[in-house]
Amino acid sequence: MKFGRLTSVFYTIIRLGSRDVLGSSFYSTKPSTAWKFRGPGEDNLGQLYRRISPVGDHKVSIVPILDQWIEEGRSVNRFQLIGAIKELRYYKRYSHALEILTWMTDKRYFALCSPDIALRLDLMSKVHGIEEAEKYFNNVPQKLKVVEVYGGLLHCYAHATHVEKAEALMQKMRDLGFDRTLFTYNDMLNLYYRTGNFEKLDALVHEMEENGIVYDKITISLQLSAYAAVSNIEGMEKVIKKMESDRKIVLDWITYSAAATGYAKAGLADKALEMLKKSERLITSKRSRAYEGLITQYATLGKKDEVLRIWELYRKKEKVYNKGYTRIITSLLKFDDIESAEKIFEEWESQNLFYDIQIPNCLIGAYSRKGLLERAENLIDRAVSKGGKTNALTWCHLATGYLLKDQTAQAVETMKKAKVVLQPDRMPSKERLASCLENLKGEENFEKVEEFIKLLMDNGIISLDMKERLLNHIKAKNSGSAHEFWEPDGDVSDFILEEKH
């Protein structure tokens, strides 16, 4: 049985039962330039963020830090706080961003304007769920319910893939004359793309044309992604031709990355490489996500030299943070280059960044699938000694290694540890569970997996119902592997909107 599939199943086993948290954004998630101070010019703004930034645990409140800041006689203004919120949202620290926004109104008495309300809707839906966002929307004074606020709720629905609610709200916005904004259409296009409603996506594009709504690069990228999803190369090339001939459309690297994804999925590697070269030429400064995406794309195409070239360019252009190190280590491991991955891991540790367990997890997984269990165990101990907090994937990797070495009892004990450290808000959807299980049909080690699943039930790690569902899916579904080309944070369409807004 392939290691990646087995680990994925183990991780899914213990995660079933809670909601899936998606990953797109509404207003800008790009770090606010107000927070990018360097050297002598750095002022109180940067100092406050330096206090907030190290609090990586979303369960730990940052309100005491804000209160202490004021107690020290320091001041804040709305611009500074919104800048901090955008910075936190960029790193998906939604609960902390929401804390600042709430603190602004409850303790500093800043009146919220319509864009702030839309921002709060987005954060509330991510932290507390869509129902809380709806309650907040219903309590917003009517005079403040302008297009940004309606658009904020629409984004929440699109983000949570509530198609019927999004369509009903879109119709209400049409009735109010609020629908003629490009972002509204792009949000709906994104929703239809993510839910596979490609006919509705095409119909909405035609509606945009009829209403004179001018496309932007997001619209184009979503069209390309939709055609790529069904390997409609003819449709993709029509869109590419249109975007390259229309001077009103400002192209950027994201658009060509979407095209590269489509060509790669269709097996047209040369075309994909051509698109990646065009994408790279359009990268402006301070686009770490662009370099990270290129690293992943080139790795999937088997171009190790290009992976290393982009990595060196990335390091030269800007400071690399945790996500960048995760990308390069993961990509090198696709080439089975553990030695190079270890060197970059050591470089990461020397940077004294926040100790994100995802980075050692990459190597723990590689060691486990190679049967290097002692090295995997030592790295776990090393990570913990440096302040890293193990998560479910850490132990799932190790459990897989034990199972592949026929150390079933050790694998079961390790899965118990995985269950203990599991974060409830990181659960996948049932659809993702089915997708993981489909990969197991026809594997040579089915009997071993069957025995292992039974042991998980006997030890109270999964229920009888879960055991039956797992085994039924394994037996019934066809084997297959998803085409993983570029997934910056999940779905490429989420990233498209995130980068723009």
Side-chain angles (χ1 to χ4, degrees), residues 62 116 137 162 172 260 269 329 369 388 391 462 472-473 483 496:
I62 61 171
D116 296 342
F137 176 83
H162 290 321
K172 185 171 183 179
I329 291 174
R369 68 172 169 264
N391 61 17
I462 63 173
N472 287 339
H473 273 297
H483 183 91
I496 291 167

Side-chain angles (χ1 to χ4, degrees), residues 159-173:
H159 172 74
T161 61
H162 290 321
V163 176
E164 292 183 2
K165 286 186 174 182
E167 289 177 336
L169 185 60
M170 180 69 169
Q171 187 55 53
K172 185 171 183 179
M173 293 177 72

Side-chain angles (χ1 to χ4, degrees), residues 19 94-95 98-99 102 120-133:
R19 63 188 176 86
Y94 301 124
S95 59
L98 182 58
E99 278 190 328
T102 304
R120 188 162 184 165
L121 284 167
D122 175 57
L123 292 171
M124 289 186 75
S125 69
K126 287 179 169 65
V127 177
H128 300 302
I130 196 70
E131 291 183 359
E132 290 301 313

